[in-house]
């Protein structure tokens, strides 16, 4: 496995730092899947929909909408 870096706001970086190893693994796998789909199919709308679902899942685990503000990512 290789590592890649993405820029996120400070709150999200802190939340990620504090997250459990299991949570990080699960989210990393979901993100990897989304990137593969985006690069393989060029289906931006589906990727954005899937990322929205991922954001909802993360919020249900305690990450707030303020932390996950989409304007910070795009």
């Amino acid at each position: 496995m290789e590592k890649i870096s993405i820029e996120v706001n400070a709150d999200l970086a802190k939340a990620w730092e504090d997250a459990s190893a299991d949570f990080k693994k699960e989210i990393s796998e979901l993100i990897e899947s989304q990137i593969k789909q985006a690069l393989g199919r060029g289906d931006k709308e589906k990727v954005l929909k899937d990322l929205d679902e991922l954001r909802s899942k993360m919020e249900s685990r305690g990450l707030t909408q303020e932390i996950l503000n989409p304007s910070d990512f795009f």
Side-chain angles (χ1 to χ4, degrees), residues 30-31 33-35 37-38 41 43-58:
L30 287 169
I31 292 170
S33 173
Q34 297 308 310
I35 292 171
Q37 287 181 1
R41 290 193 271 161
D43 188 354
K44 181 180 177 182
E45 292 304 315
K46 180 174 180 352
V47 171
L48 291 175
K49 178 182 174 270
D50 291 343
L51 286 173
D52 204 35
E53 290 172 10
L54 175 61
R55 183 176 342 128
S56 294
K57 185 173 188 175
M58 293 174 78

